[in-house]
Amino acid sequence: MKHHDATPSHGTSQDRTGHERSEPPRPPDAERTERELADALHALAGGVLPEPDAYRTARGEWLRRERRRRLVLTVLVALVFALATLIGLWVLNQAPAEPGVIFSGDGAAAADGPSLPRLRG
């Protein structure tokens, strides 16, 4: 029976079967390459300068888009409201002109048969 340390050494890990697995070896000049690449990226990033009025330009464009969005939304709401109003008026205009079924014009009930007796209380 073998004793395994609970903390694996640097660069190793256990696979699903519990066996130690090591990472592939690094090339001898990997640290130098990483350092040179980092230096080159820092130099490149340091050479990029924003335009002096970049924020003002971006904010102006954003405000124009926001105003345009609000205007389009207002026009759409007005169109939907106007269309709903016109449809409602058209439906009300389609109602028959003759008296309704429930009431007649003289105030009497429109039912032909006798009414039910009322309870007096």
Side-chain angles (χ1 to χ4, degrees), residues 5 9 19 23 32-33 35-36 39 56 81 102 110:
D5 188 15
S9 61
H19 296 93
E23 294 178 0
R32 183 178 63 87
T33 303
R35 188 179 64 248
E36 288 176 357
D39 291 342
R56 191 178 318 127
F81 182 77
I102 298 174

Side-chain angles (χ1 to χ4, degrees), residues 13-47:
S13 62
Q14 289 187 351
D15 60 8
R16 292 183 185 180
T17 61
H19 296 93
E20 293 292 325
R21 179 175 45 118
S22 62
E23 294 178 0
R26 294 182 61 162
D29 59 345
E31 290 182 19
R32 183 178 63 87
T33 303
E34 288 176 4
R35 188 179 64 248
E36 288 176 357
L37 182 59
D39 291 342
L41 289 174
H42 284 295
L44 183 63

Side-chain angles (χ1 to χ4, degrees), residues 46-58:
V48 177
L49 297 175
E51 295 182 23
D53 61 342
Y55 175 76
R56 191 178 318 127
T57 303

Side-chain angles (χ1 to χ4, degrees), residues 74-90:
T74 303
V75 168
L76 284 176
V77 167
L79 282 174
V80 167
F81 182 77
L83 186 64
T85 303
L86 289 174
I87 290 173
L89 290 173
W90 178 77

